[in-house]
Amino acid sequence: MAPTRLSDQVGRVISGRYRLVAPLGSGSSAQVYLADDVVLARQVAVKMLQPSLAGDEHFLRRFRAEAQTVAAISHPNVVVVHDWGEDEVPYLVTEYLAGGSLRAMLGAGHRLTPSQALMVGLEVCQGLAHAHGKGLVHRDLKPANILFDVDGRLRIADFGLARAIAEASHTEPDGSIVGTARYSAPEQARGERLDGRADVYALALLLIEAVTGQVPFASDTTLGTLMARIDRDVEVPDALGPLQACLARAGRLRPDERPDAGELIISLHAAATELDAPGPLPLIGALAEAAQAADTSEDARTTLAPLPLDPTFDPDVTVVAASPDPTALIAAAPEPARGAAAPATAGPDDPAAQPPDEPGRRRRWPLALLAMLLLAAGAGGFLLFQSLQTPTYEVPDLVGQQIAEIGLIAEQNDWIVDEKKTRRTGTEPGEIVSTTPAAGEQLEEGGTLVVVVSEGNALTTRPTDLVDRPLAEVVAELTTAGLEHTTTEVFDEEIVAGNVVGLDGEVDETLPEGTSVPLLVSKGPEPRVVPEVDDDATYEAVAAQLTDLRLVPVRKDVFSDDVAEGIVISVAPESGAEVPRGAEVTVTVSKGPDLVAVPDTRGKRLAEAEAMLEAAGLVLGQDCCNSRGRVFDSDPVPGTMVRRGSAVTLFLRG
């Protein structure tokens, strides 16, 4: 069992490699520590899961699978998983950054401007789009899982862990679900199957809270929080400004009416042209956040993601991220560049952060860029403006074409193709489903054509409870999930014929709709082959062989002149025959020869003596003397044991 206090673990070396240096936080499912990797001489974050999860075998299997999946993801907006394992309890080792979380900013009373929220939303969407393309849904997106490094670069934490915990038998302490419930999608509240659009919904709520300080649908109870959102769309406050429209779409009640992460990126880029350039983010360092969490009951209930920290970071100084290059969003770059860090005392609403010659002025990014160009040109500004005018071309209708087919069009118009991935049922991999600008609109030479390309059908989750269920039931669930199936019949000793034995090979739980799931279906127990019988085998030996094969031996005793008593004569069905498991096999056992005693016929007349022989199963042999006489002797003599049917000679005297 883990110690009650986080500090009790400091100094411990996990798996002989990770020395715990300082606690970063604790929640209902894990404890997080700053640690030294003594092998690679670097600092990392170690998330040690609570002991209550260590004994849950189902959770451990899911945890290992999810850890392997997340470790394979490489994206600048997703926390890197370096290692995972078990040392008394399961643990994860992640990269170690310093900026703290979005939850820490909001908890410190900071509110983001719409421009800052847009930058956060873009980076989150980029990480989500990459993970969703790998078939991975976060399921627990919230401010505590949005982390920053010292330069303000955003990372998403805890991919995969939420699903593993959700499927464990582990029960969270009362009230610990509140952090998750506040950002849950309606389909998540109803316990339905989730896809990446549940994460998009959570992001919409998260950005609204970041700007307004209020989470839509938040209630005093978990049940109230969940029930408030299951029958209506999210209402986006006016304070979100140009973000209002795209977040309203992301907050739709029905998942099929929401954009996926790639489509939301496009909408956010479009909204950027109507917003001021963003100010720097007021980051709260990881160690400072840990201290804040220790004193805040709400944060104490929140499961902390690995909080990266720079060893040179001073927890008493507020680190502020630098403003991005204002041309970044204009060019629709996937990763907006950042300049030098702003002074630690400057916040997004601090007047000192505004240029001294433009206090309070609204700066639209494209106009600001054009103004700088014109001012730099001086008297030749008009000629410079004219020289910047580039040819434009109409975007053709590319929807339905393969992405590989548009290279010539892009080359002719000198367009940069920005390919975004999505999934849509009914489309082929590589098929274009939409473009920005849309068909018929104009795009300048050298401009960026955003092309949303299908990776195939939408992902669905196959049923997992398959074993020993009737085939018809399993097929019905697969059909409901949008999946096909194939069947292969196999023998099985325990599962009755017609029920599902399992899957034929390894099959992912998340699959594109229309995928065929290979099922193994029981034909019942395998037929048995009646064994060979040795010449001198006893009934007991043969019966043991049959019992081992789960056949039923039935004994039959007969007389035999050729086989000794107690020895098996034959089996039926005969050796080598196939019979069902549980079938009866008759084992014929010799009782030896059939012997009878010669009756005592002395003193009897011939007719009476002959009747006595017949009654004993014997026959009359040669007689002698007067047939009207009486028997005085026989051969064999009376009492002799002879085979049934033997002849007996009688001797009579007149």
Side-chain angles (χ1 to χ4, degrees), residues 551-628:
L551 297 174
V552 180
V554 178
R555 180 166 180 158
K556 178 182 178 182
D557 294 298
V558 298
F559 292 108
S560 174
D561 293 335
D562 303 317
V563 179
E565 182 179 359
I567 302 302
V568 173
I569 300 172
S570 64
V571 290
E574 64 183 8
S575 296
E578 286 192 352
V579 295
R581 188 188 75 183
E584 292 185 350
V585 178
T586 300
V587 183
T588 301
V589 183
S590 173
K591 295 195 293 184
D594 187 5
L595 301 178
V596 297
V598 176
D600 187 359
T601 58
R602 290 173 295 186
K604 307 294 182 182
R605 293 189 180 278
L606 179 59
E608 186 178 4
E610 186 176 3
M612 291 176 65
L613 292 176
E614 290 179 356
L618 302 172
V619 298
L620 179 63
Q622 179 182 353
D623 62 334
C624 64
C625 305
N626 190 337
S627 63
R628 290 175 295 178

Side-chain angles (χ1 to χ4, degrees), residues 114-471:
S115 297
Q116 292 171 322
L118 182 140
M119 293 301 301
V120 169
L122 275 174
E123 293 194 79
V124 173
C125 277
Q126 287 163 182
L128 291 178
H130 182 79
H132 294 169
K134 302 289 186 182
L136 194 63
V137 180
H138 193 289
R139 297 168 178 257
D140 193 23
L141 195 65
K142 56 189 177 184
N145 287 333
I146 306 301
L147 311 178
F148 301 89
D149 65 9
V150 289
D151 296 322
R153 174 74 68 184
L154 181 148
R155 308 286 205 280
I156 307 172
D158 275 4
F159 262 110
L161 183 60
R163 178 169 183 170
I165 293 176
E167 295 186 5
S169 59
H170 165 74
T171 301
E172 299 284 353
D174 182 47
S176 64
I177 193 175
V178 170
T180 298
R182 296 172 68 186
Y183 308 96
S184 297
E187 62 270 23
Q188 195 168 0
R190 291 191 293 264
E192 298 173 356
R193 187 175 71 250
L194 303 182
D195 61 19
R197 290 169 295 189
D199 291 342
V200 169
Y201 185 97
L203 176 58
L205 300 187
L206 181 153
L207 294 179
I208 292 171
E209 180 189 15
V211 174
T212 67
Q214 300 295 323
V215 183
F217 306 124
S219 175
D220 293 337
T221 66
T222 300
L223 180 60
T225 298
L226 294 173
M227 294 302 294
R229 70 195 63 199
I230 63 174
D231 58 359
R232 56 196 173 107
D233 297 336
V234 175
E235 295 182 5
V236 183
D238 294 339
L240 275 294
L243 299 183
Q244 194 171 21
C246 55
L247 294 186
R249 282 192 62 217
R252 293 283 176 83
L253 174 66
R254 292 170 53 88
D256 56 6
E257 295 179 358
R258 299 179 207 143
D260 61 24
E263 293 168 334
L264 185 55
I265 289 174
I266 298 170
S267 298
L268 291 173
H269 276 308
T273 62
E274 303 179 42
L275 285 169
D276 298 339
L281 292 174
L283 303 182
I284 308 296
L287 289 178
E289 179 175 0
Q292 180 189 72
D295 297 330
T296 307
S297 60
E298 178 182 352
D299 287 344
R301 292 197 304 270
T302 303
T303 302
L304 289 178
L307 300 178
L309 188 63
D310 188 322
T312 63
F313 174 72
D314 183 350
D316 297 324
V317 178
T318 301
V319 180
V320 182
S323 301
D325 183 345
T327 63
L329 287 184
I330 301 171
E335 296 180 8
R338 299 178 186 274
T345 57
D349 301 319
D350 190 338
Q354 303 293 334
D357 57 338
E358 296 186 63
R361 287 188 57 184
R362 182 175 183 82
R363 294 169 294 155
R364 298 187 183 277
W365 298 348
L367 296 180
L369 176 61
L370 179 58
M372 287 189 293
L373 291 173
L374 293 175
L375 290 173
F382 178 75
L383 294 177
L384 176 60
F385 177 78
Q386 291 293 328
S387 69
L388 293 176
Q389 302 308 299
T390 54
T392 62
Y393 307 101
E394 182 177 318
V395 177
D397 187 1
L398 302 176
V399 174
Q401 296 187 35
Q402 286 289 312
I403 183 65
E405 299 173 358
I406 72 168
L408 181 59
I409 297 174
E411 183 178 351
Q412 289 174 340
N413 298 331
D414 194 23
W415 287 340
I416 300 171
V417 177
D418 183 7
E419 184 178 336
K420 307 295 184 183
K421 298 294 187 181
T422 189
R423 284 188 173 273
R424 187 169 300 177
T425 299
T427 60
E428 297 292 332
E431 180 179 336
I432 298 173
V433 298
S434 67
T435 62
T436 301
E441 297 182 5
Q442 297 293 313
L443 179 61
E444 66 182 15
E445 185 178 288
T448 298
L449 178 65
V450 179
V451 182
V452 179
V453 181
S454 174
E455 291 184 300
N457 288 345
L459 297 177
T460 185
T461 302
R462 67 167 176 82
T464 55
D465 181 19
L466 305 177
V467 178
D468 203 14
R469 293 179 55 199
L471 175 61

Side-chain angles (χ1 to χ4, degrees), residues 413-543:
N413 298 331
D414 194 23
W415 287 340
I416 300 171
V417 177
D418 183 7
E419 184 178 336
K420 307 295 184 183
K421 298 294 187 181
T422 189
R423 284 188 173 273
R424 187 169 300 177
T425 299
T427 60
E428 297 292 332
E431 180 179 336
I432 298 173
V433 298
S434 67
T435 62
T436 301
E441 297 182 5
Q442 297 293 313
L443 179 61
E444 66 182 15
E445 185 178 288
T448 298
L449 178 65
V450 179
V451 182
V452 179
V453 181
S454 174
E455 291 184 300
N457 288 345
L459 297 177
T460 185
T461 302
R462 67 167 176 82
T464 55
D465 181 19
L466 305 177
V467 178
D468 203 14
R469 293 179 55 199
L471 175 61
E473 287 185 10
V474 173
V475 169
E477 288 194 15
L478 291 174
T479 301
T480 300
L483 298 170
E484 305 291 335
H485 73 282
T486 60
T487 57
T488 301
E489 291 189 327
V490 294
F491 293 112
D492 191 277
E493 291 297 305
E494 306 302 330
I495 297 178
V496 299
N499 279 14
V500 173
V501 175
L503 298 173
D504 189 1
E506 293 291 331
V507 181
D508 292 337
E509 290 187 15
T510 302
L511 301 166
E513 291 183 0
T515 300
S516 186
V517 178
L519 301 176
L520 297 176
V521 181
S522 175
K523 295 194 291 185
E526 186 173 4
R528 272 45 176 175
V529 177
V530 178
E532 295 288 338
V533 177
D534 295 336
D535 291 339
D536 58 351
T538 63
Y539 170 78
E540 288 74 14
V542 174

